[in-house]
Amino acid sequence: MKLVLFTAFVALLAGSAIAEDTTASSDNVPVYNSVPYLTPENTTFGGQIEGAAVDKDGNFYAVNYKGSKNETGKVWSKQAPFFKDKKTVDTWFNAIRFHVNSKGVQEAYIGDVMNHRVVRVTSTSSKCNSLRSEDFCKDSAILQPNDIAIAHSTGRLFLSGMSYTENSKVGDGGLWTCDSAGNVKKLGEFYRTNGIEVSPDEKTLYLSEAINKDGSVISNVIKAFDLDPKEGTIGKDRTFVDFGKLDKSAATDIDGMRTDIDGNLYVARNGDSKVAKISPSGKLLAYIKTVSIKGVSNLEFAGAKGQDLFIVGACAENAEKGCVEIYRTDTTGNAFNKLNGGKKA
């Protein structure tokens, strides 16, 4: 087994395809397999690994470095510490997004679920070995934030958050936006919200919503909103995907979501070992199954060309460890593309 995984990993580094259409679901949907990259034996991340993010060079990042709630780290091209908040009490980072501002400076936005804020981190040296941090947007009314999306054309952030209760009600989830100056505005209340993403053309905002009843999860949908990325306003929500109808997986929570440059949405199914690939029209195109991750928490396209889908979550063999798998695609991630000028969008 170790030899098979090692061979597959070498193929990944060589730029070869690392997965084939192995099976098909009951609905005849292709099922692909990702390949382990960080395992319980070599990972530096804890089981609460989340906040998948890519910078303009294709480096991949996540939270829960060394198992610390207040520390983020680099996963690829090699494991290394990134930013740690040593000053703010109860810091718990759960989300990361990178952005290149109008002056060409790359910034990291990191969501802190306990202090209801987003921290902006910038480099103070050309070698990025010295970082400056500041509270970018903060409001006690923000529910967490749990995850972050960004409209790169304006630098506007969109935040999701949730309260997990036995019987969900509207207000257990919410949606906020922070403009480029850090001003916070609430956009709406929902049932339990989690994954959030902006389409490549920045005309659509996607937001997941789940409902619990008597302690059981009974619904998981993705809502879509018409979006004005400049003003930060949204239109009336519509159901983009209802997983109860799509593949009868209403009880499996949605977690992180990311798009590629073609507008396909990749959806982490927490509590399951897979990612769902959804077309811009809401059609289920494929599943990507993980080998070493039981509950997929987040994902992002990274790597030298921005075409490797990094998938993160607690390791199946040891839930106190954070595992990472990679699925090589033939398309480029939206975030990587935007950070590099958005030439392919």
mmCIF file of all heavy atoms in Angstrom, residues 210-251:
data_model
loop_
_atom_site.group_PDB
_atom_site.id
_atom_site.type_symbol
_atom_site.label_atom_id
_atom_site.label_comp_id
_atom_site.label_asym_id
_atom_site.label_seq_id
_atom_site.Cartn_x
_atom_site.Cartn_y
_atom_site.Cartn_z
ATOM 1 N N ALA A 210 -27.790 24.577 6.099
ATOM 2 C CA ALA A 210 -28.192 23.271 6.607
ATOM 3 C C ALA A 210 -29.238 23.437 7.700
ATOM 4 O O ALA A 210 -29.308 24.475 8.362
ATOM 5 C CB ALA A 210 -26.980 22.513 7.157
ATOM 6 N N ILE A 211 -30.046 22.399 7.887
ATOM 7 C CA ILE A 211 -31.096 22.419 8.902
ATOM 8 C C ILE A 211 -31.003 21.156 9.750
ATOM 9 O O ILE A 211 -30.888 20.048 9.223
ATOM 10 C CB ILE A 211 -32.497 22.515 8.266
ATOM 11 C CG1 ILE A 211 -32.637 23.800 7.444
ATOM 12 C CG2 ILE A 211 -33.588 22.453 9.338
ATOM 13 C CD1 ILE A 211 -33.952 23.906 6.685
ATOM 14 N N ASN A 212 -31.058 21.347 11.061
ATOM 15 C CA ASN A 212 -31.122 20.240 12.016
ATOM 16 C C ASN A 212 -32.545 20.125 12.566
ATOM 17 O O ASN A 212 -33.221 21.139 12.772
ATOM 18 C CB ASN A 212 -30.178 20.473 13.199
ATOM 19 C CG ASN A 212 -28.724 20.575 12.793
ATOM 20 O OD1 ASN A 212 -28.357 20.230 11.680
ATOM 21 N ND2 ASN A 212 -27.893 21.046 13.702
ATOM 22 N N LYS A 213 -32.954 18.910 12.843
ATOM 23 C CA LYS A 213 -34.238 18.673 13.508
ATOM 24 C C LYS A 213 -34.052 17.549 14.523
ATOM 25 O O LYS A 213 -33.635 16.447 14.167
ATOM 26 C CB LYS A 213 -35.325 18.294 12.500
ATOM 27 C CG LYS A 213 -36.704 18.117 13.151
ATOM 28 C CD LYS A 213 -37.770 17.810 12.112
ATOM 29 C CE LYS A 213 -39.136 17.648 12.777
ATOM 30 N NZ LYS A 213 -40.196 17.327 11.766
ATOM 31 N N ASP A 214 -34.343 17.866 15.785
ATOM 32 C CA ASP A 214 -34.194 16.898 16.878
ATOM 33 C C ASP A 214 -32.798 16.275 16.887
ATOM 34 O O ASP A 214 -32.626 15.075 17.123
ATOM 35 C CB ASP A 214 -35.261 15.803 16.778
ATOM 36 C CG ASP A 214 -36.675 16.356 16.926
ATOM 37 O OD1 ASP A 214 -36.838 17.359 17.648
ATOM 38 O OD2 ASP A 214 -37.591 15.796 16.307
ATOM 39 N N GLY A 215 -31.805 17.096 16.601
ATOM 40 C CA GLY A 215 -30.423 16.648 16.649
ATOM 41 C C GLY A 215 -29.903 15.972 15.407
ATOM 42 O O GLY A 215 -28.721 15.642 15.330
ATOM 43 N N SER A 216 -30.775 15.777 14.420
ATOM 44 C CA SER A 216 -30.358 15.135 13.166
ATOM 45 C C SER A 216 -30.351 16.157 12.029
ATOM 46 O O SER A 216 -31.215 17.044 11.973
ATOM 47 C CB SER A 216 -31.313 13.996 12.808
ATOM 48 O OG SER A 216 -31.282 12.988 13.789
ATOM 49 N N VAL A 217 -29.386 16.016 11.133
ATOM 50 C CA VAL A 217 -29.308 16.892 9.969
ATOM 51 C C VAL A 217 -30.305 16.405 8.928
ATOM 52 O O VAL A 217 -30.269 15.246 8.513
ATOM 53 C CB VAL A 217 -27.886 16.904 9.372
ATOM 54 C CG1 VAL A 217 -27.816 17.856 8.186
ATOM 55 C CG2 VAL A 217 -26.867 17.288 10.432
ATOM 56 N N ILE A 218 -31.208 17.279 8.487
ATOM 57 C CA ILE A 218 -32.253 16.866 7.543
ATOM 58 C C ILE A 218 -32.185 17.582 6.204
ATOM 59 O O ILE A 218 -32.884 17.194 5.263
ATOM 60 C CB ILE A 218 -33.659 17.070 8.147
ATOM 61 C CG1 ILE A 218 -33.910 18.557 8.427
ATOM 62 C CG2 ILE A 218 -33.826 16.235 9.412
ATOM 63 C CD1 ILE A 218 -35.353 18.877 8.766
ATOM 64 N N SER A 219 -31.347 18.608 6.096
ATOM 65 C CA SER A 219 -31.294 19.352 4.834
ATOM 66 C C SER A 219 -29.929 19.987 4.647
ATOM 67 O O SER A 219 -29.340 20.513 5.596
ATOM 68 C CB SER A 219 -32.370 20.442 4.811
ATOM 69 O OG SER A 219 -32.254 21.249 3.648
ATOM 70 N N ASN A 220 -29.423 19.936 3.411
ATOM 71 C CA ASN A 220 -28.206 20.635 3.017
ATOM 72 C C ASN A 220 -28.379 21.158 1.600
ATOM 73 O O ASN A 220 -28.537 20.363 0.655
ATOM 74 C CB ASN A 220 -26.985 19.716 3.094
ATOM 75 C CG ASN A 220 -26.237 19.863 4.396
ATOM 76 O OD1 ASN A 220 -25.370 20.725 4.546
ATOM 77 N ND2 ASN A 220 -26.597 19.028 5.369
ATOM 78 N N VAL A 221 -28.383 22.468 1.468
ATOM 79 C CA VAL A 221 -28.553 23.093 0.161
ATOM 80 C C VAL A 221 -27.481 24.154 -0.042
ATOM 81 O O VAL A 221 -26.838 24.602 0.909
ATOM 82 C CB VAL A 221 -29.950 23.748 0.016
ATOM 83 C CG1 VAL A 221 -31.057 22.732 0.270
ATOM 84 C CG2 VAL A 221 -30.099 24.955 0.931
ATOM 85 N N ILE A 222 -27.290 24.530 -1.297
ATOM 86 C CA ILE A 222 -26.447 25.674 -1.638
ATOM 87 C C ILE A 222 -27.351 26.732 -2.242
ATOM 88 O O ILE A 222 -28.066 26.473 -3.222
ATOM 89 C CB ILE A 222 -25.340 25.300 -2.641
ATOM 90 C CG1 ILE A 222 -24.429 24.222 -2.049
ATOM 91 C CG2 ILE A 222 -24.505 26.538 -3.004
ATOM 92 C CD1 ILE A 222 -23.408 23.676 -3.043
ATOM 93 N N LYS A 223 -27.340 27.908 -1.637
ATOM 94 C CA LYS A 223 -28.110 29.023 -2.156
ATOM 95 C C LYS A 223 -27.240 29.859 -3.085
ATOM 96 O O LYS A 223 -26.014 29.927 -2.916
ATOM 97 C CB LYS A 223 -28.628 29.902 -1.010
ATOM 98 C CG LYS A 223 -29.692 29.236 -0.144
ATOM 99 C CD LYS A 223 -30.132 30.161 0.964
ATOM 100 C CE LYS A 223 -31.282 29.561 1.772
ATOM 101 N NZ LYS A 223 -32.522 29.490 0.987
ATOM 102 N N ALA A 224 -27.861 30.496 -4.064
ATOM 103 C CA ALA A 224 -27.154 31.395 -4.967
ATOM 104 C C ALA A 224 -27.839 32.753 -4.930
ATOM 105 O O ALA A 224 -29.073 32.842 -4.843
ATOM 106 C CB ALA A 224 -27.145 30.837 -6.386
ATOM 107 N N PHE A 225 -27.035 33.796 -4.983
ATOM 108 C CA PHE A 225 -27.538 35.172 -4.963
ATOM 109 C C PHE A 225 -26.908 35.952 -6.110
ATOM 110 O O PHE A 225 -25.705 35.807 -6.371
ATOM 111 C CB PHE A 225 -27.153 35.888 -3.661
ATOM 112 C CG PHE A 225 -27.525 35.170 -2.400
ATOM 113 C CD1 PHE A 225 -26.730 34.132 -1.911
ATOM 114 C CD2 PHE A 225 -28.642 35.549 -1.672
ATOM 115 C CE1 PHE A 225 -27.048 33.488 -0.729
ATOM 116 C CE2 PHE A 225 -28.967 34.902 -0.489
ATOM 117 C CZ PHE A 225 -28.168 33.872 -0.017
ATOM 118 N N ASP A 226 -27.683 36.792 -6.778
ATOM 119 C CA ASP A 226 -27.085 37.753 -7.692
ATOM 120 C C ASP A 226 -26.248 38.710 -6.858
ATOM 121 O O ASP A 226 -26.679 39.158 -5.784
ATOM 122 C CB ASP A 226 -28.163 38.524 -8.458
ATOM 123 C CG ASP A 226 -28.903 37.645 -9.456
ATOM 124 O OD1 ASP A 226 -28.344 36.615 -9.873
ATOM 125 O OD2 ASP A 226 -30.045 37.991 -9.819
ATOM 126 N N LEU A 227 -25.056 39.049 -7.342
ATOM 127 C CA LEU A 227 -24.104 39.801 -6.534
ATOM 128 C C LEU A 227 -23.637 41.066 -7.240
ATOM 129 O O LEU A 227 -23.324 41.042 -8.428
ATOM 130 C CB LEU A 227 -22.895 38.914 -6.221
ATOM 131 C CG LEU A 227 -21.726 39.557 -5.475
ATOM 132 C CD1 LEU A 227 -22.135 39.972 -4.067
ATOM 133 C CD2 LEU A 227 -20.530 38.600 -5.431
ATOM 134 N N ASP A 228 -23.571 42.151 -6.481
ATOM 135 C CA ASP A 228 -22.900 43.374 -6.911
ATOM 136 C C ASP A 228 -21.609 43.455 -6.105
ATOM 137 O O ASP A 228 -21.629 43.804 -4.917
ATOM 138 C CB ASP A 228 -23.772 44.601 -6.634
ATOM 139 C CG ASP A 228 -23.136 45.902 -7.136
ATOM 140 O OD1 ASP A 228 -21.895 45.983 -7.170
ATOM 141 O OD2 ASP A 228 -23.883 46.840 -7.479
ATOM 142 N N PRO A 229 -20.457 43.115 -6.710
ATOM 143 C CA PRO A 229 -19.210 43.038 -5.940
ATOM 144 C C PRO A 229 -18.691 44.389 -5.458
ATOM 145 O O PRO A 229 -17.906 44.446 -4.514
ATOM 146 C CB PRO A 229 -18.236 42.389 -6.930
ATOM 147 C CG PRO A 229 -18.758 42.770 -8.276
ATOM 148 C CD PRO A 229 -20.251 42.779 -8.129
ATOM 149 N N LYS A 230 -19.126 45.463 -6.093
ATOM 150 C CA LYS A 230 -18.685 46.791 -5.690
ATOM 151 C C LYS A 230 -19.454 47.284 -4.476
ATOM 152 O O LYS A 230 -18.869 47.698 -3.473
ATOM 153 C CB LYS A 230 -18.832 47.782 -6.846
ATOM 154 C CG LYS A 230 -18.343 49.183 -6.503
ATOM 155 C CD LYS A 230 -18.468 50.121 -7.700
ATOM 156 C CE LYS A 230 -17.954 51.522 -7.340
ATOM 157 N NZ LYS A 230 -18.075 52.457 -8.503
ATOM 158 N N GLU A 231 -20.783 47.217 -4.556
ATOM 159 C CA GLU A 231 -21.622 47.703 -3.462
ATOM 160 C C GLU A 231 -21.801 46.657 -2.363
ATOM 161 O O GLU A 231 -22.192 46.989 -1.239
ATOM 162 C CB GLU A 231 -22.990 48.118 -4.000
ATOM 163 C CG GLU A 231 -22.938 49.229 -5.033
ATOM 164 C CD GLU A 231 -22.345 50.513 -4.482
ATOM 165 O OE1 GLU A 231 -22.555 50.788 -3.280
ATOM 166 O OE2 GLU A 231 -21.662 51.227 -5.239
ATOM 167 N N GLY A 232 -21.556 45.397 -2.695
ATOM 168 C CA GLY A 232 -21.712 44.334 -1.713
ATOM 169 C C GLY A 232 -23.142 43.931 -1.478
ATOM 170 O O GLY A 232 -23.461 43.313 -0.456
ATOM 171 N N THR A 233 -24.020 44.243 -2.397
ATOM 172 C CA THR A 233 -25.433 43.900 -2.254
ATOM 173 C C THR A 233 -25.728 42.579 -2.955
ATOM 174 O O THR A 233 -25.043 42.189 -3.904
ATOM 175 C CB THR A 233 -26.326 44.998 -2.843
ATOM 176 O OG1 THR A 233 -25.948 45.233 -4.220
ATOM 177 C CG2 THR A 233 -26.173 46.295 -2.063
ATOM 178 N N ILE A 234 -26.761 41.894 -2.465
ATOM 179 C CA ILE A 234 -27.176 40.622 -3.051
ATOM 180 C C ILE A 234 -28.656 40.657 -3.385
ATOM 181 O O ILE A 234 -29.430 41.405 -2.775
ATOM 182 C CB ILE A 234 -26.892 39.439 -2.095
ATOM 183 C CG1 ILE A 234 -27.564 39.671 -0.724
ATOM 184 C CG2 ILE A 234 -25.396 39.216 -1.944
ATOM 185 C CD1 ILE A 234 -27.472 38.489 0.215
ATOM 186 N N GLY A 235 -29.057 39.848 -4.369
ATOM 187 C CA GLY A 235 -30.462 39.725 -4.723
ATOM 188 C C GLY A 235 -31.124 38.642 -3.889
ATOM 189 O O GLY A 235 -30.525 38.082 -2.965
ATOM 190 N N LYS A 236 -32.354 38.346 -4.216
ATOM 191 C CA LYS A 236 -33.094 37.299 -3.506
ATOM 192 C C LYS A 236 -32.423 35.952 -3.748
ATOM 193 O O LYS A 236 -31.993 35.647 -4.852
ATOM 194 C CB LYS A 236 -34.548 37.268 -3.991
ATOM 195 C CG LYS A 236 -35.416 36.222 -3.289
ATOM 196 C CD LYS A 236 -36.853 36.309 -3.746
ATOM 197 C CE LYS A 236 -37.673 35.166 -3.163
ATOM 198 N NZ LYS A 236 -37.614 35.131 -1.688
ATOM 199 N N ASP A 237 -32.383 35.143 -2.686
ATOM 200 C CA ASP A 237 -31.715 33.850 -2.816
ATOM 201 C C ASP A 237 -32.555 32.866 -3.624
ATOM 202 O O ASP A 237 -33.783 32.962 -3.661
ATOM 203 C CB ASP A 237 -31.409 33.257 -1.441
ATOM 204 C CG ASP A 237 -32.655 32.875 -0.668
ATOM 205 O OD1 ASP A 237 -33.129 31.746 -0.823
ATOM 206 O OD2 ASP A 237 -33.158 33.725 0.097
ATOM 207 N N ARG A 238 -31.876 31.957 -4.287
ATOM 208 C CA ARG A 238 -32.510 30.852 -5.013
ATOM 209 C C ARG A 238 -31.731 29.590 -4.697
ATOM 210 O O ARG A 238 -30.544 29.643 -4.356
ATOM 211 C CB ARG A 238 -32.505 31.125 -6.520
ATOM 212 C CG ARG A 238 -31.116 31.322 -7.109
ATOM 213 C CD ARG A 238 -31.181 31.799 -8.559
ATOM 214 N NE ARG A 238 -29.860 31.937 -9.159
ATOM 215 C CZ ARG A 238 -29.098 33.023 -9.058
ATOM 216 N NH1 ARG A 238 -29.525 34.057 -8.356
ATOM 217 N NH2 ARG A 238 -27.907 33.079 -9.644
ATOM 218 N N THR A 239 -32.387 28.455 -4.770
ATOM 219 C CA THR A 239 -31.711 27.188 -4.501
ATOM 220 C C THR A 239 -30.899 26.774 -5.717
ATOM 221 O O THR A 239 -31.439 26.545 -6.797
ATOM 222 C CB THR A 239 -32.725 26.087 -4.144
ATOM 223 O OG1 THR A 239 -33.445 26.474 -2.974
ATOM 224 C CG2 THR A 239 -32.005 24.772 -3.870
ATOM 225 N N PHE A 240 -29.595 26.702 -5.529
ATOM 226 C CA PHE A 240 -28.690 26.293 -6.601
ATOM 227 C C PHE A 240 -28.565 24.772 -6.632
ATOM 228 O O PHE A 240 -28.657 24.151 -7.694
ATOM 229 C CB PHE A 240 -27.326 26.947 -6.384
ATOM 230 C CG PHE A 240 -26.266 26.520 -7.352
ATOM 231 C CD1 PHE A 240 -26.366 26.839 -8.696
ATOM 232 C CD2 PHE A 240 -25.152 25.815 -6.921
ATOM 233 C CE1 PHE A 240 -25.384 26.447 -9.598
ATOM 234 C CE2 PHE A 240 -24.167 25.422 -7.808
ATOM 235 C CZ PHE A 240 -24.280 25.737 -9.148
ATOM 236 N N VAL A 241 -28.370 24.175 -5.456
ATOM 237 C CA VAL A 241 -28.284 22.719 -5.324
ATOM 238 C C VAL A 241 -28.996 22.301 -4.044
ATOM 239 O O VAL A 241 -28.774 22.897 -2.984
ATOM 240 C CB VAL A 241 -26.817 22.235 -5.267
ATOM 241 C CG1 VAL A 241 -26.758 20.757 -4.880
ATOM 242 C CG2 VAL A 241 -26.120 22.444 -6.599
ATOM 243 N N ASP A 242 -29.829 21.287 -4.136
ATOM 244 C CA ASP A 242 -30.436 20.637 -2.976
ATOM 245 C C ASP A 242 -29.905 19.213 -2.958
ATOM 246 O O ASP A 242 -30.296 18.382 -3.786
ATOM 247 C CB ASP A 242 -31.966 20.646 -3.089
ATOM 248 C CG ASP A 242 -32.660 20.039 -1.880
ATOM 249 O OD1 ASP A 242 -32.020 19.232 -1.167
ATOM 250 O OD2 ASP A 242 -33.836 20.350 -1.653
ATOM 251 N N PHE A 243 -28.995 18.910 -2.022
ATOM 252 C CA PHE A 243 -28.354 17.606 -2.028
ATOM 253 C C PHE A 243 -29.321 16.476 -1.691
ATOM 254 O O PHE A 243 -29.080 15.320 -2.033
ATOM 255 C CB PHE A 243 -27.153 17.589 -1.084
ATOM 256 C CG PHE A 243 -25.907 18.158 -1.708
ATOM 257 C CD1 PHE A 243 -25.491 19.447 -1.429
ATOM 258 C CD2 PHE A 243 -25.167 17.409 -2.607
ATOM 259 C CE1 PHE A 243 -24.356 19.978 -2.019
ATOM 260 C CE2 PHE A 243 -24.027 17.921 -3.210
ATOM 261 C CZ PHE A 243 -23.621 19.219 -2.918
ATOM 262 N N GLY A 244 -30.427 16.800 -1.035
ATOM 263 C CA GLY A 244 -31.444 15.779 -0.796
ATOM 264 C C GLY A 244 -32.031 15.268 -2.092
ATOM 265 O O GLY A 244 -32.322 14.077 -2.246
ATOM 266 N N LYS A 245 -32.192 16.169 -3.056
ATOM 267 C CA LYS A 245 -32.726 15.800 -4.362
ATOM 268 C C LYS A 245 -31.625 15.373 -5.327
ATOM 269 O O LYS A 245 -31.848 14.504 -6.186
ATOM 270 C CB LYS A 245 -33.495 16.985 -4.958
ATOM 271 C CG LYS A 245 -34.710 17.402 -4.154
ATOM 272 C CD LYS A 245 -35.386 18.623 -4.765
ATOM 273 C CE LYS A 245 -36.612 19.054 -3.964
ATOM 274 N NZ LYS A 245 -37.248 20.269 -4.526
ATOM 275 N N LEU A 246 -30.447 15.990 -5.181
ATOM 276 C CA LEU A 246 -29.363 15.739 -6.124
ATOM 277 C C LEU A 246 -28.805 14.330 -6.000
ATOM 278 O O LEU A 246 -28.663 13.604 -6.994
ATOM 279 C CB LEU A 246 -28.251 16.760 -5.928
ATOM 280 C CG LEU A 246 -27.120 16.739 -6.958
ATOM 281 C CD1 LEU A 246 -27.608 17.285 -8.282
ATOM 282 C CD2 LEU A 246 -25.927 17.557 -6.458
ATOM 283 N N ASP A 247 -28.478 13.914 -4.766
ATOM 284 C CA ASP A 247 -27.874 12.583 -4.573
ATOM 285 C C ASP A 247 -28.296 11.933 -3.255
ATOM 286 O O ASP A 247 -27.623 11.019 -2.771
ATOM 287 C CB ASP A 247 -26.350 12.666 -4.654
ATOM 288 C CG ASP A 247 -25.747 13.548 -3.560
ATOM 289 O OD1 ASP A 247 -26.509 14.073 -2.724
ATOM 290 O OD2 ASP A 247 -24.510 13.705 -3.541
ATOM 291 N N LYS A 248 -29.401 12.445 -2.694
ATOM 292 C CA LYS A 248 -29.970 11.878 -1.464
ATOM 293 C C LYS A 248 -28.990 11.940 -0.283
ATOM 294 O O LYS A 248 -28.980 11.062 0.584
ATOM 295 C CB LYS A 248 -30.419 10.427 -1.698
ATOM 296 C CG LYS A 248 -31.491 10.304 -2.782
ATOM 297 C CD LYS A 248 -31.895 8.862 -3.021
ATOM 298 C CE LYS A 248 -32.946 8.781 -4.129
ATOM 299 N NZ LYS A 248 -33.355 7.379 -4.417
ATOM 300 N N SER A 249 -28.193 13.021 -0.234
ATOM 301 C CA SER A 249 -27.225 13.169 0.860
ATOM 302 C C SER A 249 -27.556 14.396 1.712
ATOM 303 O O SER A 249 -26.654 15.125 2.139
ATOM 304 C CB SER A 249 -25.799 13.282 0.300
ATOM 305 O OG SER A 249 -25.663 14.438 -0.513
ATOM 306 N N ALA A 250 -28.833 14.611 1.970
ATOM 307 C CA ALA A 250 -29.267 15.765 2.758
ATOM 308 C C ALA A 250 -28.661 15.777 4.151
ATOM 309 O O ALA A 250 -28.469 16.836 4.758
ATOM 310 C CB ALA A 250 -30.793 15.781 2.864
ATOM 311 N N ALA A 251 -28.333 14.600 4.698
ATOM 312 C CA ALA A 251 -27.816 14.499 6.062
ATOM 313 C C ALA A 251 -26.306 14.720 6.147
ATOM 314 O O ALA A 251 -25.741 14.729 7.246
ATOM 315 C CB ALA A 251 -28.162 13.138 6.648
#
